[in-house]
Amino acid sequence: MASQGEVAAVEVYTTNEPVMAKQMEYKGMLLASKVKSRNMFSDIGSGFKSLVGGEIKGLSKLTADIREELLWELREKAVQAGANAIVGLRMETNSIFEGVLDMVVYGTAVYFQR
């Protein structure tokens, strides 16, 4: 199992190569996904908020939490694959039904040198 320091050191890019990389070795595709729901009290508050408009903070927090969990999981998988970066990062979020979110995060694990 990788240490927190190793996982935190993995660089993440939406571009197809790390900044100033001189050599790069592909380690494979990485994929992580989660499906989560809000709690009942958050759903009630969100229902009222949707009547008047504005940010639904419970849903915003749920989305942010899932995103951070998935990015950490992807970094862990990158370390296990022998990579020090993830390139081509993409995220997709879908609402399966009321209050249930599905988020998928994927990218390519690479080992690079500057």
Side-chain angles (χ1 to χ4, degrees):
M1 180 143 201
S3 71
Q4 282 192 330
E6 288 175 310
V7 174
V10 173
E11 298 179 22
V12 178
Y13 297 92
T14 56
T15 58
N16 290 328
E17 58 185 53
V19 174
M20 299 187 310
K22 291 189 177 168
Q23 291 182 327
M24 191 168 60
E25 178 183 342
Y26 290 93
K27 298 291 187 174
M29 182 179 163
L30 302 173
L31 175 70
S33 66
K34 283 194 182 202
V35 177
K36 283 196 170 184
S37 66
R38 296 178 293 176
N39 66 44
M40 179 180 70
F41 299 110
S42 179
D43 282 344
I44 293 169
S46 297
F48 290 130
K49 187 66 172 179
S50 67
L51 293 174
V52 295
E55 180 185 6
I56 301 173
K57 292 186 180 178
L59 194 54
S60 293
K61 181 174 178 357
L62 177 64
T63 304
D65 290 347
I66 295 171
R67 183 180 318 116
E68 290 306 314
E69 290 172 17
L70 289 174
L71 284 172
W72 188 261
E73 185 179 330
L74 222 57
R75 283 183 164 108
E76 287 177 327
K77 289 180 177 185
V79 170
Q80 291 170 358
N84 62 356
I86 301 167
V87 296
L89 182 78
R90 300 292 181 263
M91 297 182 181
E92 295 180 16
T93 305
N94 297 299
S95 180
I96 296 176
F97 52 87
E98 186 68 32
V100 178
L101 288 178
D102 170 37
M103 187 176 285
V104 178
V105 178
Y106 57 96
T108 304
V110 297
Y111 180 82
F112 76 97
Q113 294 178 351
R114 288 196 167 106

